[in-house]
Amino acid sequence: MSDSIDNHPDTLDKLIEHYPIVFKHLNKTGYHNLPAGWYKIMNRLCSELSVILEEALEVNPETPEEPLFSVLQVKEKFGGLRFYYMMNTKDDELYRRIQTAVDNAEDTSYSTCQITGNIGVLCKDGSHFMTLCEESRISMGYKIVGNG
């Protein structure tokens, strides 16, 4: 069985539907997963990216051979959000604006519980990391990173 996005319906599906300009060239062959608690973070990111991409595409329309922006992968890794993308541009300002938006979303994930969306901290159980609120951390038996 292929491990494509079609096999992992989750909150990412809602974002794909609401932000077609962001996900127009989504790599559907990669593994994608968006924990429910990070939906608001990704919604904010996609909203920002939509505005940036709409402005950029008005100035420089893309071609099918060279899309301006492609989402490669969205997932959790080591307790944080990862949003991998590719851009075809020589516009440093455009790249900086997109990278700043992505960096802010990824940074915010480290203080947001990936299960509930409440305030969270980076936790671990063995070698597995998650960002969790206190209630989720206790119920799952995770320890706060740096506190044993």
Side-chain angles (χ1 to χ4, degrees):
M1 178 183 239
S2 169
D3 198 22
S4 74
I5 192 168
D6 299 323
N7 297 326
H8 297 279
D10 61 19
T11 53
L12 188 59
D13 292 336
K14 294 177 191 173
L15 295 170
I16 291 168
E17 183 179 326
H18 285 99
Y19 297 102
I21 194 167
V22 174
F23 294 101
K24 181 177 173 182
H25 302 287
L26 175 69
N27 175 358
K28 288 190 173 191
T29 61
Y31 173 79
H32 299 274
N33 182 278
L34 178 62
W38 291 343
Y39 178 82
K40 287 182 181 178
I41 296 169
M42 274 295 296
N43 189 53
R44 189 173 332 120
L45 172 61
C46 290
S47 178
E48 291 175 31
L49 292 178
S50 289
V51 171
I52 295 168
L53 292 171
E54 284 172 9
E55 291 172 3
L57 289 170
E58 281 181 20
V59 176
N60 291 310
E62 64 187 359
T63 65
E65 301 82 36
E66 286 197 31
L68 174 65
F69 180 85
S70 301
V71 176
L72 302 175
Q73 195 172 41
V74 177
K75 67 180 185 177
E76 176 276 331
K77 185 173 182 179
F78 299 120
L81 173 68
R82 297 296 188 272
F83 185 88
Y84 300 113
Y85 65 95
M86 182 177 68
M87 285 193 63
N88 290 310
T89 184
K90 293 179 181 170
D91 183 339
D92 290 341
E93 178 63 17
L94 173 61
Y95 178 80
R96 186 198 58 73
R97 289 176 67 201
I98 287 178
Q99 187 60 50
T100 297
V102 170
D103 288 346
N104 289 340
E106 290 179 346
D107 290 348
T108 300
S109 73
Y110 284 104
S111 60
T112 306
C113 178
Q114 61 194 78
I115 295 173
T116 66
N118 294 329
I119 294 172
V121 295
L122 187 61
C123 302
K124 85 182 228 181
D125 181 27
S127 63
H128 189 252
F129 291 84
M130 292 183 81
T131 298
L132 301 168
C133 63
E134 187 66 5
E135 183 178 330
S136 296
R137 182 191 71 76
I138 291 169
S139 71
M140 295 174 72
Y142 276 61
K143 295 183 179 178
I144 297 172
V145 171
N147 290 344

